[in-house]
Structure formats: structure tokens, C-alpha cells
């Protein structure tokens, strides 16, 4: 068997692994990256990018079906038609363009990339099973970045045809007439809303008492209202029991059974670490449940074996995987680094979008005692009105004693782009006065951030 020697071996070329490899290469470390599928991982091929492309297409299509909003700005249209196969081809072209970019970046950084499934032999070597034959790779540092895969329900196994994971749902070439979505978390809500806008009759089945249970209810109420406007039926405290062609059987909170019309069922009840067949048992690493346990440096329990991204558990977010990947490469190169970020922004790309950076009021109170909260609604923001969407608000949470900002949250159209400002404020240890003392351009949605700080300080201007 061929043998390849390197300083750093990265297994998995998703956002965690490819960023780790690029940074390691840039730092002059001899680096090999092995990827079983396609460089870019779940995020680029079946996750963040394809879902956001479909969400954009759904928003564009839906905007043309809102006569009242169109009439208000003087537009009248005849009924639009949608060629969904073309939408999917457009989405695939974006993915292909970005994937080519990832390949070019790896090459530019001097990373040796191999396509094939890697199995770990021990802490210093692995075998890549490539089309061209098996290759033994010996390294000084092993970085595990094998990501995650969709979790199935025992009662509803994926069949690739009718009962789908997000991967197959993002590749449908026709919009189903009826769609049942099991799980009202990130994926269920983002894709459920998008398919509703594309014309599917959607029913959401969630085990807990409300949608998006990971966020506080104040933030999710505008999303629940929009779901109702879109005609999406939501069944909470509900359990999917079984599926037979066209019908999903569901049990309600009292045990009573109903049947939901469903040409397709999207099961989105979480993702699990992708470690099957990796040979993890050879390392006997400390685990955190099904995930690899890591410390603040992303070090595992074995010296010079590192793990990053989804394989290390929640929050399963691409930007967190990338930040860990960059950090691990720098540590291997000799830097003193730790993953000590003040906050990891999370965004749900629903309509309206939800952004959470840092602590919500209840958690802030529990951790720091007395707090100040400032909420500024978009109905008082000129830019939101001109964009024909003034639902939602920005909420800032700060310590009462020294006004240090602990969290910023928002729900509203386009608020995903405000997340950078929120995260920067937290990372730099801003106080309410810093946000209030910054000139925010007019007219922009970001003025709601400024006004939320003014409000928390008891001196609002526009409300
Ligand atoms: P992955 O992206 O899963 O990459 C792991 C790679 O390792 C894969 O390419 C896989 O083929 C490879 N691999 C696995 N085992 C082996 C092996 N033995 N040998 C060789 N290669 C192997 N996150 C966000 O931040 N924002 C979003 O908007 C967002 N939207 C999402 C939408 C959907 C529908 C989904 C499913 C996920 C979304 N996510 C989003 C989550 C995001 O995709 C993940 O957090 C991110 O991809 C994790 O990166 P990773 O590098 O840890 O793993
Ligand atoms: P999730 O954890 O966000 O949501 C799963 C939902 O399913 C929860 O509301 C849960 O209560 C519900 N549920 C669990 N078991 C159920 C059952 N038997 N019946 C009905 N409901 C059930 O998981 P997801 O939506 O599958 O997303 C997976 C991961 O991907 C997330 O952890 C997230 O980090 C990542 N992701 C992120 C984004 C983003 O950043 N915008 C988008 C998509 C996915």
C-alpha cells in the first residue's frame, strides 16, 4: 500500500475540515485532506447554501402572489408560473461554483487533497480508500471533521422517495402538493416555510409544545403568525406514528390519532455525529454522548488528535465549525489559542428571520442578576416600512450594574445581516453607551439596534 507522510491529516472536507486544512497550509504545515464525498461538506452541498437558495426562490415566487402588497406599490401582475426543476438547476449551479472555489483555495494553500473514505488505524495514521486504491497516511496531528448526518425516526425510516431527509428534500424537482414536516427546529421551519411559499400545503408536526423551541417564545411569535398567514397547519405536542402512501398518521397530546395529507414527509428531528465506519473505536476517545468530547482547544482526550465541527455536537453551525478549524490549525502551528468566544450567533432563516447572539433575558438574569432590556419594534422603523415588512423587533440585554451587553436578539425581515453588528458588540465587550453612541446610518434596519440600546438606557428617540 502506498504511504503518504504529513504533519496534519484532516478527515472530512466540510466547513470545519476544509478551513482547518486551508489555514494549516497557509501556515506552512504539510497538510493532507481526505474527503469521502465532496469538498464543502454538508453545508455547501446539502445544507446552508442549497437551503438558502431555495428559501430565496420561494420568497421571490411568494412575493409575486401577494396582490395587496404589490398593489400598494403600484404593481399588478398576471399569475406567475414556476419551473421548479429550473430552480433546482440554478441552486446546483451556485453550489458547483462555490465547490470549485473551495478546491482552488485548498490548492492555493498547498493542501494535498484526496477523495475517498478514511478509516482510522491509530492516532497517527489512517487509510484513505480512494477509487485509485488504498493509501496509508501517516501524520503527526489528526483532525477529525467528519460532520453529521440526518437522524431518522424508527416509525418513519427514510426511503429516499416519500419519507425524506433535508438532503432529498433539497433535491426535489417538483413541489409536492402536500408536505408533512416532522420537527419544527431549524430545518423543519426553514424548509417547511419555503415549500409553503412554493405552493405546497404544509403541516408541521412538533413533539414539544411550540415551534422553534430552542428560542424564547417572544422571538418566535412573529414566525408563528406568518406560518398561520401562509396556511401552514401546526400540530404541537404531536408524534408521527406511521406513513402510508399519501398519509401521515399523527398522535396528539391526548393520544387521539389524526391523519395528515402528505405526498412527501420531511423528517427533521436533529442530526447525529457521522462516525460510523470511521474506526473511532481504535482511539478509545472520551465521548460526550454520541459526539467526540473536546476541550476549549478542540483537543480530544488523545494527544495530537483533534475534533472540530458537528462531530463534536451542538451548536451544529457552519461558522462554529470554521472557527474551530481555523483555531486548531493555528494551535498545531504553535499559537496559544482557545475557543473563548463571547457568543456564537445563530440564525433561523425563516420568515421573518430570527437572530440570537448571546444570552436571552431569563438566562442573563440567572447568570448576572439584575439586567436592563431594551426592545425596539420594526413598526417604528422607516426602512422596515419602505421594505413592506415591519413585523418584529430588536432586543438588547445588558447588565444593570455596568451596562455591558449580554445578548442581542432580533426577529424581522433581513435581520440575518444585523447579526455581525450584534456579535461584534458582544465580542468587544460593548456597553449600552457604546451602541447608543455609535451613529447608525439612516434609513436602515440597524437603527432598531441603536434604538434598542437607547431604550434600555431609558432615552429612546423614535418610540
Ligand atoms: P460537514 O459539513 O458534515 O462535513 C463533513 C465532511 O466529512 C463531509 O463532506 C463528509 O463527506 C466527510 N466525511 C465524513 N466521514 C468521512 C470519512 N470517514 N472519510 C472522509 N470523509 C468523511 N449551519 C449554519 O451555520 N447556517 C445555516 O444556514 C445552516 N443551514 C443548514 C441547512 C441544512 C439543510 C443542514 C442539513 C445543515 C445546515 N447547517 C447550517 C449546519 C451546517 O451544515 C453544519 O453545521 C456544517 O456543515 C458542519 O460542518 P462540518 O465540517 O463539521 O461537517
Ligand atoms: P433541530 O434540533 O433544530 O430541531 C429538531 C426539532 O425536532 C426540535 O424542535 C425537536 O423538538 C423536534 N423533534 C424531535 N423529535 C421529534 C419527534 N419524534 N417528533 C416531532 N418532533 C420532534 O434539528 P434540525 O432542524 O434537524 O437541524 C439539525 C441541525 O442542523 C441543527 O442542530 C442546526 O444546528 C443545524 N442547522 C442550522 C441551520 C441554521 O443555522 N440556519 C439551518 C438548518 C440546520
Amino acid at each position: 500500500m502506498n504511504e503518504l507522510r504529513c504533519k496534519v491529516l484532516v478527515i472530512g472536507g466540510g466547513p470545519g475540515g476544509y478551513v482547518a486544512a486551508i489555514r494549516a497550509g497557509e501556515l506552512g504545515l504539510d497538510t493532507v485532506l481526505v474527503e469521502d464525498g465532496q469538498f464543502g461538506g454538508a453545508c455547501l452541498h446539502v445544507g446552508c447554501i442549497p437551503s438558502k437558495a431555495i428559501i430565496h426562490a420561494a420568497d421571490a415566487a411568494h412575493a409575486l402572489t401577494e396582490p395587496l402588497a404589490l398593489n400598494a406599490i403600484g404593481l399588478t401582475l398576471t399569475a406567475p408560473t414556476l419551473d421548479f426543476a429550473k430552480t433546482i438547476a440554478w441552486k446546483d449551479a451556485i453550489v458547483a461554483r462555490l465547490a470549485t472555489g473551495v478546491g482552488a483555495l485548498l490548492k492555493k494553500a498547498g493542501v494535498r487533497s484526496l477523495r475517498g473514505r478514511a478509516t482510522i488505524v491509530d492516532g497517527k495514521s489512517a487509510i484513505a480508500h480512494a477509487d485509485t486504491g488504498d493509501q496509508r497516511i501517516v501524520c503527526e496531528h489528526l483532525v477529525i471533521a467528519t460532520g453529521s448526518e440526518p437522524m431518522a425516526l424508527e416509525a418513519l425510516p427514510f426511503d429516499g422517495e416519500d419519507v425524506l431527509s433535508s438532503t432529498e428534500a433539497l433535491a426535489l424537482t417538483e413541489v409536492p402538493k402536500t408536505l408533512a414536516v416532522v420537527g419544527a427546529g431549524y430545518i423543519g421551519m426553514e424548509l417547511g416555510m419555503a415549500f409553503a411559499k412554493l405552493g405546497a400545503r404544509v403541516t408541521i408536526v412538533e413533539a414539544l409544545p411550540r415551534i422553534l423551541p430552542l428560542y424564547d417564545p417572544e422571538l418566535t411569535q412573529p414566525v408563528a403568525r406568518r406560518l398561520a398567514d401562509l396556511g401552514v397547519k401546526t400540530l404541537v405536542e404531536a408524534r408521527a406514528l406511521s406513513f402510508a402512501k399519501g398519509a401521515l398518521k399523527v398522535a396528539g397530546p391526548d393520544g387521539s390519532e389524526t391523519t395528515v395529507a402528505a405526498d412527501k414527509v420531511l423528517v427533521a428531528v436533529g442530526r447525529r455525529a457521522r462516525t460510523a465506519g470511521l474506526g473511532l473505536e481504535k482511539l478509545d476517545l472520551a465521548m460526550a454522548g454520541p459526539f467526540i468530547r473536546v476541550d476549549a482547544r478542540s483537543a480530544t482526550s488523545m494527544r495530537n488528535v483533534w475534533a472540530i465541527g458537528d462531530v463534536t455536537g451542538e451548536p451544529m453551525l457552519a461558522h462554529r465549525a470554521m472557527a474551530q478549524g481555523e483555531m486548531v490549525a493555528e494551535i498545531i502551528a504553535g499559537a496559544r489559542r482557545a475557543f473563548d468566544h463571547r457568543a456564537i450567533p445563530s440564525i433561523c432563516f425563516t420568515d421573518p428571520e430570527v437572530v440570537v447572539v448571546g444570552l436571552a433575558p431569563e438566562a442573563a438574569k440567572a447568570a448576572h442578576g439584575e439586567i436592563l432590556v431594551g426592545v425596539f419594534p420594526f413598526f417604528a422603523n422607516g426602512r422596515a416600512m419602505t421594505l413592506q415588512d415591519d413585523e418584529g423587533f430588536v432586543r438588547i440585554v445588558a447588565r444593570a450594574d455596568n451596562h455591558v451587553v449580554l445578548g442581542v436578539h432580533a426577529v424581522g425581515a433581513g435581520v440575518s445581516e444585523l447579526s455581525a453588528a450584534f456579535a461584534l458588540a458582544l465580542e468587544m465587550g460593548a456597553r449600552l453607551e457604546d451602541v447608543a453612541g455609535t451613529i447608525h446610518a439612516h434609513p436602515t434596519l440597524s437603527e432598531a439596534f441603536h434604538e434598542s440600546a437607547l431604550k434600555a438606557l431609558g432615552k429612546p428617540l423614535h418610540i
Side-chain angles (χ1 to χ4, degrees), residues 5 47 61 69 74 92 122-123 133 145 222 246-247 253 274-275 284 289 294 375 406:
R5 288 188 168 267
D92 289 342
D122 55 38
R274 194 175 154 190
T275 51
D284 195 25
V294 288
V375 180
L406 299 170

Side-chain angles (χ1 to χ4, degrees), residues 184-232:
Y186 280 98
I187 294 177
M189 289 302 300
E190 288 186 2
L191 295 187
M193 279 189 126
F195 276 105
K197 288 181 174 180
L198 288 165
R201 210 147 39 84
V202 176
T203 306
I204 291 181
V205 179
E206 165 61 44
L208 293 178
R210 58 189 185 84
I211 59 156
L212 289 174
L214 66 164
Y215 295 138
D216 63 81
E218 221 181 326
L219 277 174
T220 56
Q221 267 155 16
V223 183
R225 275 198 292 275
R226 193 66 55 96
L227 269 186
D229 291 348
L230 287 168
V232 174

Side-chain angles (χ1 to χ4, degrees), residues 5-58:
R5 288 188 168 267
C6 62
K7 173 96 174 172
V8 184
L9 168 59
V10 183
I11 302 180
Y18 85 71
V19 165
I22 288 174
R23 178 49 54 91
E26 284 173 353
L27 291 167
L29 305 175
D30 182 14
T31 304
V32 172
L33 172 64
V34 185
E35 167 56 51
D36 183 26
Q38 308 196 59
F39 295 108
C43 171
L44 176 49
H45 296 276
V46 295
C48 323
I49 299 296
S51 60
K52 268 76 244 180
I54 299 299
I55 289 166
H56 170 72

Side-chain angles (χ1 to χ4, degrees), residues 142 187 212 264 267 292 347:
L142 177 63
I187 294 177
L212 289 174
K264 304 280 178 198
V267 178
I292 300 177
I347 301 173

Side-chain angles (χ1 to χ4, degrees), residues 393-434:
F393 56 85
V394 176
R395 180 180 69 193
I396 196 164
V397 179
R399 286 174 64 128
D401 54 358
N402 58 11
H403 296 182
V404 168
V405 179
L406 299 170
V408 192
H409 321 107
V411 52
V415 293
S416 54
E417 292 301 332
L418 301 186
S419 65
F422 301 169
L424 190 66
L426 258 81
E427 206 58 59
M428 297 194 70
R431 296 184 311 134
L432 290 171
E433 287 78 359
D434 296 316

